[in-house]
């Protein structure tokens, strides 16, 4: 998700390892949404389209074209529906759904364990 959101930032506000994107298109769709397209060229090409309902981000679509170690072009796509885009998300968005185990958490050591 960070890569998708960094694409719309100017290059001077990105970390050095992030690719450079440029805006290539924008317009309106028949369903009332507007969109803005960004593209990154180079050894790997990526196109990202941001969909807005007015000024509200509602979807991000990405197509990435890369060359594998055999020189064959591979394509990947990703579509993200944005339910809410807020600087203060609801607490339920920050917790895992019931039944999903957080593999990144390690059990706490007892103070007596060294």
């Amino acid at each position: 998700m960070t890569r998708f959101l960094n694409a719309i930032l100017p290059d001077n506000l990105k970390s050095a390892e992030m690719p450079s994107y440029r805006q290539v298109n924008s317009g309106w769709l028949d369903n009332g949404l507007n969109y803005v397209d960004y593209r990154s060229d180079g050894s790997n090409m990526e196109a990202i389209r941001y969909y807005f309902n007015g000024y509200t981000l509602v979807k991000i679509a990405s197509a990435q074209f890369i060359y594998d170690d055999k020189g064959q072009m591979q394509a990947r796509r990703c579509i993200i529906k944005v339910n809410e885009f807020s600087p203060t998300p609801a607490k339920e968005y920050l917790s895992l759904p019931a039944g999903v185990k957080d593999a990144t958490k390690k059990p706490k050591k007892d103070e007596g364990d060294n």
Side-chain angles (χ1 to χ4, degrees):
M1 189 68 177
T2 300
R3 188 179 85 251
F4 297 137
L5 294 176
N6 273 313
I8 59 178
L9 288 174
D11 287 342
N12 64 333
L13 296 177
K14 295 181 203 177
S15 61
E17 67 272 1
M18 290 300 297
S20 180
Y21 292 83
R22 60 187 165 86
Q23 184 178 341
V24 294
N25 199 12
S26 64
W28 292 88
L29 301 172
D30 291 340
N31 63 3
L33 297 180
N34 56 311
Y35 65 89
V36 180
D37 292 338
Y38 283 81
R39 184 169 149 174
S40 174
D41 294 317
S43 60
N44 298 326
M45 193 282 284
E46 183 172 24
I48 301 175
R49 176 171 278 187
Y50 302 91
Y51 294 89
F52 297 90
N53 185 356
Y55 292 104
T56 303
L57 179 64
V58 294
K59 185 166 58 169
I60 302 171
S62 166
Q64 189 176 41
F65 303 92
I66 59 173
Y67 289 96
D68 63 18
D69 55 355
K70 296 177 184 174
Q72 299 292 315
M73 182 182 283
Q74 302 294 321
R76 290 187 278 189
R77 69 180 177 148
C78 179
I79 299 172
I80 299 169
K81 180 182 175 190
V82 179
N83 292 327
E84 181 179 342
F85 192 70
S86 168
T88 53
K91 288 189 188 265
E92 62 265 15
Y93 293 152
L94 301 176
S95 59
L96 293 174
V100 176
K101 182 179 178 183
D102 187 349
T104 64
K105 301 279 191 223
K106 294 182 180 178
K108 292 182 181 181
K109 285 186 173 183
D110 288 337
E111 289 184 25
D113 294 344
N114 287 332

